[in-house]
Amino acid sequence: MLSQNGGRITSKEADSAGIHRMYLKKLVDEGKIVQVSRGIYQDSASFEDELFNLQAQYPSGIFSYETSLFLQGLLERVPFIWTMTFKGSYHSPSLESKGICIKHSSEKLYPIDITETFTKAGNKVRAYSAERTLCEIMTKKANTDIQVITYAIKAYATKKEKKLPKLMELSKLFHVEARIRAYLEVLL
C-alpha cells in the first residue's frame, strides 16, 4: 500500500484498508516507517515530500500563489514559504507554526480552476491552474514582486499547453484584464 501512495499512508487510509493503527505503531517502532506528522506515515527508505504531506494533512488546502507557480514550472526558484488557499475564514495554528502562508478565498472563487499537478518528487497534489495563478498574482491584494510576475508570464507565454481564452476569462473575474493584456501584447 505504501508503494501505491508514493511511500506514504495516512491513518484514515490504513483504517479504510482494514489495517489497525496499532500495526502502524509497530512498524514505526521497528523503524520500517516514520511518522512525519499526526496521522501521516512514510516509508523510512523514501524521501519526505513536504507538499504531498501538507496536502494529506490539510486536504481542503489548495496550493496557490508562488507555490502554484513553482509546481506549474513558472517560478525560477523554490518559494521561501509554501502558500495554501482555504475556503472562507479557515484558521489553523498548526499551519502557521509550520511557516505556511494561509490565504483565504470566497466560497465563489475557491473552487475555480483547481487542477492536479505533480511535486518534484512525482506525487500528485492539487493546485490552482497556471491561468488562475497568473491572475491572482496580478491583483493588488497579492502584492507580488514584479520580477516574479514577469518571469511567470514569460514562462507561461512559451508553454505549449497555455490556455489564452481561459486566462482572459479569469482575468475579467479577478479584475486584472488590463494588466494581463499589457503583458501578453508585449510577449505574443
Side-chain angles (χ1 to χ4, degrees):
M1 193 167 190
L2 284 171
S3 61
Q4 297 169 346
N5 292 333
R8 185 212 51 143
I9 189 169
T10 64
S11 297
K12 186 176 181 180
E13 291 167 342
D15 284 344
S16 296
I19 300 169
H20 195 279
R21 291 177 191 222
M22 289 304 295
Y23 185 67
L24 293 175
K25 182 175 177 355
K26 181 181 180 209
L27 290 173
V28 168
D29 292 343
E30 292 173 358
K32 295 182 179 173
I33 62 173
V34 177
Q35 184 174 8
V36 292
S37 64
R38 185 176 177 201
I40 300 176
Y41 301 87
Q42 182 174 315
D43 183 351
S44 58
S46 64
F47 293 102
E48 180 180 357
D49 186 341
E50 186 179 6
L51 295 175
F52 187 57
N53 289 336
L54 273 172
Q55 196 146 76
Q57 194 169 11
Y58 304 97
S60 64
I62 309 298
F63 291 113
S64 55
Y65 293 84
E66 288 189 16
T67 306
S68 178
L69 291 176
F70 173 71
L71 289 167
Q72 310 279 350
L74 301 176
L75 191 66
E76 58 187 331
R77 59 170 171 72
V78 176
F80 298 118
I81 57 171
W82 302 124
T83 304
M84 295 181 89
T85 295
F86 294 88
K87 187 184 331 181
S89 59
Y90 182 87
H91 178 72
S92 172
S94 64
L95 261 178
E96 289 173 358
S97 71
K98 292 179 181 179
I100 307 301
C101 178
I102 301 170
K103 300 288 186 178
H104 300 101
S105 184
S106 69
E107 302 259 343
K108 177 184 160 195
L109 294 177
Y110 174 80
I112 295 174
D113 246 29
I114 297 172
T115 186
E116 288 188 334
T117 189
F118 293 92
T119 66
K120 298 299 179 197
N123 295 307
K124 198 181 292 186
V125 293
R126 292 179 310 131
Y128 285 118
S129 70
E131 292 77 18
R132 177 188 168 135
T133 303
L134 289 173
C135 291
E136 275 191 316
I137 66 169
M138 292 280 197
T139 63
K140 285 183 172 52
K141 183 177 101 173
N143 198 24
T144 306
D145 186 281
I146 191 70
Q147 290 176 320
V148 170
I149 293 171
T150 304
Y151 183 87
I153 292 283
K154 283 180 179 178
Y156 179 78
T158 63
K159 288 177 76 163
K160 287 183 182 176
E161 62 274 357
K162 61 184 168 281
K163 300 173 188 165
L164 293 174
K166 176 61 106 175
L167 178 63
M168 295 315 297
E169 176 188 329
L170 290 170
S171 71
K172 291 175 188 171
L173 185 66
F174 285 92
H175 309 290
V176 293
E177 184 179 12
R179 290 189 74 193
I180 293 283
R181 198 172 291 282
Y183 274 98
L184 292 179
E185 285 173 0
V186 171
L187 295 171
L188 297 179

